[in-house]
Amino acid sequence: MDLSMGGYGAYVWTCFLMTAVVVIICEWRARLRHRRVYREIEVRIKALGDTQ
Amino acid sequence: MWKFFHQMASPPHFYRIAAKMIPWFMAPALMLIAYGVYAGLFLAPMDYQQGDAFRIIYVHVPSAYLSMMTYMVMAISAGIGLIWRIKLAHAVAAAAAPLGAWFTFLALATGSIWGKPMWGTWWEWGDPRLTSELIMLFLYIGYMALRGAIDDTTKADRASAVLALVGAVNVPIIHFSVEWWSSLHQGPTLIKEGGPAMDPGMLYPLLAMIFGFTLLFGGLLLRRLRAEVLFRERRTKWVKELVLSGGK
């Protein structure tokens, strides 16, 4: 297992690491957006319930 | 068949089904990507010209392929929304755009990093493949900016759909740029006459990464789409009932 990738390690590992970070960001942002929308709806429904 | 599509176009039905479908995309995606990463980094033989630098292909090609495929998904959905006025189609386009932008960014960044040791430069403005891919990133950003600039969802859907459709002309330009014009970028490796020009030991991890990334995109799209549907339907009775029942 040659972690130095024949001298190209910095290029190869940077690309794989960057891809992993982007995938994690995509997943995290998708979950966050759903949670935020859901929470906003929850708050609005509660506010409507309080005024009625 | 039509009944299935009709049901899937119904937001409440889609919202519930999508939640059940996400693990069926994500689990095989993670398995394929885990195999692809391990085999691509440690099992695939070294390239006789590029050495180990060629291993960047295992993240660069899936990202570049997804950047184009996502644009087609976005443009086709936008077209369907524009012609048949299916709300869910516009939601698909809106949910796909940020993913497409991220994958295009990845394709450009990993390509640039790969280019430095192989071509001796991070970027070449005269190269048609690089430039057309950069235009695709601008198209994604433009699409999202246009959506964000219009408060009315229906108007935003229509205006952004036109941009998505016009921009679709860039997809074949990206794909065929290496054949039409002189380019630093290498020619097609996988889709070419006589089959892929790769050793099976290099090819199988690459195919695993491409299928894995496609499934990952499917899972991410469904997750984003659920949020998009919820936002668009926030004033409807079914969403109120959903939230009052604790999301079940």
Side-chain angles (χ1 to χ4, degrees):
Chain A
M1 215 179 261
D2 177 22
L3 295 180
S4 72
M5 296 284 160
Y8 295 113
Y11 300 105
V12 175
W13 291 113
T14 304
C15 287
F16 277 77
L17 189 69
M18 192 187 290
T19 306
V21 169
V22 165
V23 168
I24 290 166
I25 289 173
C26 285
E27 172 71 14
W28 172 70
R29 282 186 63 88
R31 283 173 186 263
L32 188 71
R33 164 95 172 130
H34 185 268
R35 206 176 306 148
R36 272 190 190 157
V37 173
Y38 191 91
R39 182 81 189 121
E40 276 172 26
I41 297 167
E42 231 176 13
V43 169
R44 190 174 54 83
I45 289 173
K46 194 170 180 298
L48 281 172
D50 288 346
T51 55
Q52 280 167 8
Chain B
M1 185 76 172
W2 282 113
K3 194 184 167 194
F4 171 78
F5 282 116
H6 186 72
Q7 278 183 337
M8 285 304 276
S10 153
H13 186 75
F14 174 83
Y15 183 81
R16 288 185 185 96
I17 292 289
K20 291 177 186 163
M21 285 164 69
I22 289 169
W24 291 98
F25 279 85
M26 288 304 200
L30 291 179
M31 282 191 275
L32 282 167
I33 291 171
Y35 161 73
V37 166
Y38 180 73
L41 283 173
F42 304 115
L43 303 180
M46 193 195 296
D47 184 79
Y48 79 105
Q49 280 184 320
Q50 302 190 28
D52 281 318
F54 105 94
R55 297 184 197 283
I56 294 173
I57 201 173
Y58 296 108
V59 285
H60 175 71
V61 167
S63 308
Y65 149 74
L66 271 184
S67 75
M68 288 188 279
M69 195 199 77
T70 306
Y71 200 93
M72 288 316 291
V73 167
M74 193 176 90
I76 292 168
S77 306
I80 290 171
L82 208 58
I83 297 163
W84 287 292
R85 301 187 181 201
I86 298 169
K87 284 182 192 171
L88 195 64
H90 285 301
V92 171
L99 296 174
W102 275 115
F103 286 121
T104 309
F105 163 77
L106 262 186
L108 286 166
T110 55
S112 178
I113 293 169
W114 195 0
K116 181 62 182 164
M118 292 300 115
W119 304 336
T121 180
W122 298 102
W123 188 262
E124 177 56 52
W125 281 107
D127 189 273
R129 173 60 70 85
L130 272 62
T131 315
S132 53
E133 187 74 15
L134 183 65
I135 290 170
M136 171 152 285
L137 180 63
F138 293 151
L139 280 167
Y140 277 122
I141 293 170
Y143 176 91
M144 290 186 290
L146 186 60
R147 290 203 67 88
I150 304 170
D151 287 334
D152 185 288
T153 310
T154 312
K155 284 180 186 168
D157 283 342
R158 281 190 207 144
S160 57
V162 173
L163 177 63
L165 285 169
V166 171
V169 74
N170 192 40
V171 176
I173 292 175
I174 295 173
H175 184 73
F176 292 109
S177 58
V178 287
E179 293 177 24
W180 290 345
W181 299 290
S182 163
S183 174
L184 271 177
H185 197 282
Q186 69 182 64
T189 309
L190 286 177
I191 303 166
K192 60 182 290 185
E193 259 183 71
M198 279 182 101
D199 180 89
M202 295 171 169
L203 180 63
Y204 296 144
L206 182 59
L207 292 177
M209 287 298 274
I210 291 171
F211 287 122
F213 266 64
T214 308
L215 288 169
L216 178 77
F217 165 73
L220 289 170
L221 181 66
L222 286 173
R223 214 183 275 293
R224 289 197 64 89
L225 204 43
R226 286 187 85 227
E228 187 66 32
V229 166
L230 203 61
F231 177 74
R232 286 164 180 254
E233 298 280 308
R234 63 193 181 281
R235 298 188 198 286
T236 58
K237 195 180 162 202
W238 75 267
V239 169
K240 189 179 175 185
E241 285 171 359
L242 178 90
V243 171
L244 287 174
S245 67
K248 287 166 190 161

